[in-house]
Each structure stands twice: as structure tokens, then as C-alpha cells.
Amino acid sequence: MPITGIQARFTCHVGTFTLDVDLNLPGSGLTALFGHSGCGKTTLLRCMAGLQASQGVMRVNGDEWQNENGADASTSRPVHQRPLAYVFQETSLFPHLSVKRNLMYGYRRIPQQERRISFDQAVEWLGLSQMLDRMPENLSGGERQRVAIARALLTSPRLLLMDEPLSALDQTSKREILPYLEALRDNLAIPILYVSHSTAEVARLADHIVMLDSGKVVAEGPLQAIMARTDQPFGLEEDAGVILDATLSEHDHQWHLFRADFAGGHFWLRADSGLTTGQDVRLQVLARDISLARSQQTDQSIQNVLPAVVDEVASEVAPGTSIVRLLAGSTPFLSRLTSRAVHTLEIAPGQPVWMQVKSVAIVD
């Protein structure tokens, strides 16, 4: 059986900063490297690419790229011999070449028998068919980034590294490009390592997450499991919440709502454009949007009310604030409450409660 997954173990020093990580990551899907600026995200990518001197091990789906302790550099492949693509914040397209010629630049340099991604596939996944004859100067920021990603894919990499590819874009361009990144996540048979400090991007795109702080891993695992923890690393309490998969089962045309079913219940969502009955969606439910009641409340405006059981209480995660972990069926949720409310309601593990969900954001 072929070996799958990424083994990345690195120690490196950049000035006074030290990166020291030991990771075993999935061999497919999108893994987000997440953390504050200066935590080591980009340094880790550079180590993987061979752009940063380091001691350690790098293997991608059984293919060894590096295995050295500093004494014998011959076991470390140079950058040009590592079959990867690196997408930076800046697109660096060739300004004198059309979109098509930019794409063909890398594609023609890959022997035909080694091409894993066809020209037509890259064009389709990134939505480029209507702009192949245009010049880079006539593209928006989001369009240029899509061309840069497609150009990287046409080198048929075995690993795609993306270093905050949306950070230079405005909000409109980010919204336009995110569906294309989702398509890559769902269609590519290679792993994607995606650097970001945006919780919204991570929630929408990631399957797996690595949280870094001061050059060390503080949390790592499947996105849904990590986001449902009560001990949110390095002050993420404000964005604490859970990610869950749901299916749109009913469209209420009168009130412009969709019913989204998930393991443990359902939510009513705004019927935003582009959604259809039967569609699978990814939901983000923030802890600050969930209140709790000891008995079911019927004379109130909140439409999403679900029975749940208290699983864990994390007291004083911030002054006067507690996080309660709940289970609706098998699905975990987090609720951020004042510590006074937890005390007054006598919230404790094992207690049945009613979750009142004020709003639900559709992420995918």
C-alpha cells in the first residue's frame, strides 16, 4: 500500500527566531497554517520548499525530499528538484505575455508523460476561459491571482504551497476567488498547504488546520475538531465557533429561508442567491451567536432553537467570560456566555439545555 501524507519535521533559525515543528499531515485536501504574524507560517513553507536552510525531514506521500541533520546536505533536494508549486501574495505574471502564454510558460516545460493536470482542467477550475487572450494589465487583482494559481498548477506539482494568496486583494476580489479555491480543494489529488491569519478563510477552505505560535505547533488536527475546542489558542475566543456540514433540504419561498439539516438537528438560513435544495453546504456557527436556556422559549424572535446537552464548561477564558461546549446529538457547539450567566443558570456538564442560535453564517 503506498505511503500517503506529509511528514514535516524541521528545526531552523532565522535571526533570533526559531522554528521547531514535527508534523504528520494529510496527503490530500487543504491544510491551513494559521496564526498571528511572525508565528512561523511562512518560514515553515520556505523550509518545505527548500528555500530556507533547516535540519529535518520532508516526505510527501512517500517521496523523500529531505532527510538530514545538518552534517550531510547531500540528502536534501534543492528547490528546483522538489516537485512543488509555490503561490505568493504577489502574482508576478509576465506583463508582456497574454493569459494563455503565461499559462503555457510552465506547462510546456513539463514532459508530456509527467503532466498530471491538463491545460483545460486548470482553465476550468480557475474560470479562465473568457480571458485567455487578455493581458495582465487588463485583469483585476482577483483575476491575476487566479491566473497565477493556474500557472502554478500547470507545472503538475505534487504539493501546492500558498502563502496568503488573498492578502493583497480587496473584499470583493476575495469573495470572487474563494469559490475557485474551493474547487481546487475538492478536485486536486495533491495536498495544499495554505497560509492564512484569517479565520473566515480557514473556516471556509480548510479540511485540516495547524495553529502556530512563536515557531511551535499549539494545535493541529481536523478543522471541525480543533474549532470545537473550548481552549482556543492565543486569544481566538472572539472568533470561537464550530464548522459543520449540512444539506439544504427545504426552501421556504414565502419567508426566503432554507432549512439546513445536519447530524443533530437543523437550522433555518437566509435564502442567499446561488443556493439550491439538495445542496451540501458548510456552516460556521460562532460561540457569540448562541445563547442558552434551561427551558424551551417560544415567545421570542430567535428561530433556531435546539435541544442539547452540556459537555464541558471552560470558566473565565477571559475576565467575566466562559465558554460552554454543547452536544446536539453528536454535533458539538460552543456558546460564549458571561460567567455570571453560567453561575445563575447553574450550567454544568450533563445538563440538558436549549440552544438558541441567533445567526448562522454559510461558509461554503
Side-chain angles (χ1 to χ4, degrees):
M1 181 178 296
I3 298 173
T4 61
I6 299 172
Q7 183 181 5
R9 184 172 71 246
F10 295 110
T11 300
C12 77
H13 306 280
V14 183
T16 59
F17 177 82
T18 298
L19 177 76
D20 187 5
V21 299
D22 188 351
L23 293 166
N24 288 283
L25 304 175
S28 61
L30 189 146
T31 294
L33 305 181
F34 181 80
H36 297 311
S37 296
C39 69
K41 304 185 298 293
T42 296
T43 301
L44 176 54
L45 278 201
R46 289 175 59 82
C47 288
M48 290 180 168
L51 294 168
Q52 175 66 53
S54 65
Q55 298 180 22
V57 171
M58 178 68 179
R59 298 188 183 97
V60 178
N61 290 330
D63 187 18
E64 187 168 275
W65 295 4
Q66 179 175 335
N67 189 357
E68 53 95 13
N69 58 15
D72 182 8
S74 65
T75 58
S76 180
R77 294 190 198 176
V79 179
H80 67 277
Q81 292 182 1
R82 300 189 185 201
L84 60 84
Y86 202 130
V87 178
F88 298 89
Q89 297 175 18
E90 299 299 328
T91 57
S92 301
L93 299 180
F94 298 116
H96 62 291
L97 299 181
S98 68
V99 168
K100 183 175 182 178
R101 292 179 66 193
N102 262 283
L103 298 180
M104 294 300 295
Y105 182 83
Y107 187 60
R108 287 174 174 157
R109 285 158 176 75
I110 302 299
Q112 186 170 358
Q113 66 273 17
E114 296 179 14
R115 293 174 183 170
R116 299 179 184 84
I117 297 173
S118 71
F119 182 88
D120 290 341
Q121 281 178 317
V123 168
E124 178 184 354
W125 290 342
L126 278 304
L128 304 179
S129 60
Q130 301 302 312
M131 62 181 78
L132 292 177
D133 295 327
R134 290 163 62 183
M135 301 299 289
E137 64 183 8
N138 298 320
L139 302 176
S140 69
E143 289 170 339
R144 286 195 297 272
Q145 191 61 282
R146 283 155 55 191
V147 174
I149 295 169
R151 185 177 64 179
L153 292 178
L154 286 171
T155 64
S156 290
R158 296 179 185 174
L159 173 65
L160 178 60
L161 305 178
M162 307 184 78
D163 191 358
E164 299 200 59
L166 307 188
S167 64
L169 304 181
D170 58 33
Q171 289 301 316
T172 299
S173 297
K174 287 182 181 181
R175 286 194 295 270
E176 290 174 353
I177 198 173
L178 279 168
Y180 296 103
L181 296 181
E182 292 167 345
L184 292 185
R185 176 197 65 200
D186 296 338
N187 288 295
L188 280 181
I190 64 172
I192 304 171
L193 273 292
Y194 187 98
V195 165
S196 179
H197 62 264
S198 166
T199 54
E201 284 179 35
V202 170
R204 180 159 180 170
L205 296 173
D207 304 302
H208 199 86
I209 187 170
V210 176
M211 290 184 170
L212 293 167
D213 190 23
S214 301
K216 297 186 180 299
V217 176
V218 294
E220 181 263 322
L223 176 71
Q224 293 178 340
I226 295 298
M227 296 297 283
R229 285 172 43 170
T230 57
D231 57 332
Q232 295 294 309
F234 41 84
L236 290 181
E237 290 83 7
E238 184 64 28
D239 292 315
V242 298
I243 309 298
L244 61 145
D245 297 319
T247 302
L248 301 181
S249 63
E250 180 182 343
H251 188 182
D252 187 329
H253 294 275
Q254 179 181 359
W255 302 112
H256 305 287
L257 297 170
F258 271 109
R259 172 174 161 154
D261 294 340
F262 62 93
H266 69 267
F267 289 127
W268 287 100
L269 316 172
R270 293 189 306 274
D272 293 336
S273 61
L275 298 178
T276 58
T277 303
Q279 180 179 346
D280 292 330
V281 295
R282 178 180 286 192
L283 307 181
Q284 182 181 24
V285 187
L286 296 178
R288 63 171 179 257
D289 291 332
I290 297 182
S291 62
L292 302 182
R294 293 289 299 271
S295 59
Q296 185 174 13
Q297 308 296 308
T298 57
D299 55 345
Q300 43 93 26
S301 62
I302 298 176
Q303 297 295 295
N304 294 312
V305 181
L306 290 82
V309 176
V310 176
D311 183 56
E312 181 184 350
V313 179
S315 301
E316 296 296 304
V317 295
T321 303
S322 297
I323 294 286
V324 178
R325 188 176 191 271
L326 307 144
L327 292 176
S330 60
T331 301
F333 290 89
L334 298 179
S335 174
R336 191 178 70 188
L337 305 173
T338 66
S339 297
R340 179 182 181 182
V342 171
H343 174 76
T344 301
L345 293 175
E346 298 180 340
I347 301 296
Q351 182 183 75
V353 294
W354 291 89
M355 285 175 23
Q356 301 173 139
V357 185
K358 184 171 58 177
S359 64
V360 177
I362 297 179
V363 178
D364 190 357

